Amino acid sequence: MTAFDIAELRQRLVSGFGPIEHEVAGEKAASLGHHGRQVEKAMAALRAFDAAPGPPEERVVLLKAAAREVWKFFVQRESCGLRDQRDAIRHYGIPGEVLVRLGAIEN
């Protein structure tokens, strides 16, 4: 065993992660952050529209986009082991009209 092997083994014993697992955890965290920012943007767009309403069809487009972003965010949260979405719903101010559209597929 080399000094590197011993150091890696010690790191695994201490952290429970090897280099690959550490990299995967970092990617999951980065993806979760990305999807959270997308939800923030979608919620901001919906609030901006509601502050200065336009055509109703435009709001429907924003609702659909928000539902897509929230769905992707929730899937990523679940892949990170975060199963309860209530805190995220409160934090991002996700309205019920977005939540009822999650997973809906339109032709």
Side-chain angles (χ1 to χ4, degrees):
M1 242 185 204
T2 67
F4 177 78
D5 293 334
I6 293 170
E8 182 181 342
L9 181 57
R10 183 176 296 131
Q11 178 63 27
R12 282 186 189 201
L13 292 173
V14 171
S15 72
F17 287 113
I20 294 174
E21 291 87 358
H22 183 73
E23 184 72 22
V24 169
E27 290 297 323
K28 282 183 177 182
S31 182
L32 185 60
H34 166 76
H35 288 295
R37 288 186 297 278
Q38 295 304 106
V39 169
E40 286 175 344
K41 288 178 187 176
M43 293 301 105
L46 196 54
R47 283 191 297 275
F49 180 87
D50 289 345
E57 306 83 33
E58 187 176 328
R59 189 166 195 282
V60 171
V61 169
L62 291 172
L63 280 172
K64 289 178 184 179
R68 269 192 315 276
E69 295 305 330
V70 169
W71 179 80
K72 291 187 279 187
F73 178 59
F74 284 0
V75 167
Q76 186 61 37
R77 282 178 51 87
E78 288 183 12
S79 79
C80 293
L82 303 168
R83 306 277 186 256
D84 188 349
Q85 309 299 354
R86 289 177 288 193
D87 285 339
I89 292 167
R90 276 191 298 275
H91 176 77
Y92 291 100
I94 302 169
E97 62 187 331
V98 170
L99 295 172
V100 298
R101 293 174 178 270
L102 296 185
I105 298 173
E106 299 188 28
N107 296 327

